[in-house]
Amino acid sequence: QVQLVESGGGLVQPGGSLRLSCAASGRFFRINAMGWFRQAPGKQRELVADITSGRNTNYADSVKGRFTISRGNAKNTVYLQMNSLKPEDTAVYYCNAVVMPDLVVTTQLWGQGTQVTVSS
């Protein structure tokens, strides 16, 4: 069974930086796109950024120029470098991956979520 394990959240002051990491563990044939979503209290979950297996990236307008998504060389890890953080970036951040456990099945997986709080 494939699982996504996240790390790197925490409390940071406005203007600060954090780096989130997510690694897929278990047996799988291939991981296609990976990404990060976030959900603030009382709001819907929204896409922050995603990256394909070919390393094409896509960002929400609210984070462009501040956040950078990347994948590890083994392609089973994804990172989110968050710079110039703002209080409105406060949310639970979720890792997401489109995984092929075998040649036939494609499934979408979610991490457990990691809290990011931007506050002075």
Side-chain angles (χ1 to χ4, degrees):
Q1 185 176 359
V2 184
Q3 292 183 318
L4 301 178
V5 180
E6 303 152 347
S7 61
L11 172 65
V12 65
Q13 292 186 341
S17 298
L18 281 175
R19 188 181 193 230
L20 304 183
S21 300
C22 173
S25 62
R27 293 189 65 180
F28 54 87
F29 172 67
R30 185 170 64 203
I31 297 178
N32 295 329
M34 300 186 80
W36 292 93
F37 287 69
R38 67 185 180 187
Q39 187 166 19
K43 294 188 177 181
Q44 289 188 330
R45 190 173 296 189
E46 63 176 2
L47 173 70
V48 177
D50 59 22
I51 182 168
T52 67
S53 58
R55 303 184 193 274
N56 293 313
T57 58
N58 175 53
Y59 295 92
D61 287 343
S62 59
V63 306
K64 282 181 181 176
R66 301 188 298 121
F67 291 10
T68 302
I69 190 170
S70 61
R71 288 181 73 162
N73 290 334
K75 295 189 177 180
N76 67 324
T77 56
V78 64
Y79 307 98
L80 186 68
Q81 178 66 43
M82 304 185 293
N83 299 327
S84 303
L85 282 160
K86 304 176 181 179
E88 51 264 43
D89 294 318
T90 296
V92 178
Y93 283 69
Y94 296 92
C95 178
N96 174 270
V98 178
V99 179
M100 295 182 67
D102 53 45
L103 278 169
V104 177
V105 176
T106 299
T107 187
Q108 185 168 215
L109 297 179
W110 293 93
Q112 79 280 6
T114 184
Q115 177 69 46
V116 171
T117 302
V118 184
S119 175
S120 55

